[in-house]
Amino acid sequence: MFTPKIPPPDTAPTPGTSLVPPLTGLVHPPACTCHHTPTAPAPVPAAPPAGPAVRLTPGSLLAAAAGGTAMVLVVGTVLVSMLLATAITAASVAVCAVVLRSLLNRPNNR
């Protein structure tokens, strides 16, 4: 089950050969059967005037402002909760340190 599956030596490709046969004998017919030569290149259509890439309507501007406000509120909530968790952890470690110090400094007063 865990042994590698290696093809037998007679079917494995040699390093100098390709698995894809070469394309030979493909001849495309000419696109036009008339016997003339083009005199001038075809005219290039004029590009439309460049305008702003994004057009903001009042509705889309309001939606963008609401989305930005929601994003700021969510990120602010996450950061404040992380700060609060750090403060609570620091306070509990400080209380534990004071209790341990009082227990270790006065063993005869109990």
Side-chain angles (χ1 to χ4, degrees):
M1 181 169 126
F2 294 109
T3 59
K5 307 286 189 285
I6 300 174
D10 58 343
T11 60
T14 60
T17 62
S18 173
L19 295 176
V20 180
L23 298 175
T24 58
L26 293 178
V27 178
H28 295 286
C32 174
T33 59
C34 55
H35 303 289
H36 65 83
T37 58
T39 57
V44 177
V54 177
R55 295 178 189 229
L56 292 177
T57 62
S60 65
L61 188 61
L62 184 64
T69 303
M71 183 86 152
V72 166
L73 289 176
V74 167
V75 169
T77 302
V78 168
L79 291 178
V80 167
S81 64
M82 289 171 57
L83 181 65
L84 185 61
T86 304
I88 290 172
T89 303
S92 65
V93 167
V95 167
C96 289
V98 168
V99 168
L100 283 174
R101 181 179 173 191
S102 67
L103 288 175
L104 293 175
N105 282 342
R106 301 182 192 179
N108 296 332
N109 293 340
R110 280 187 272 156

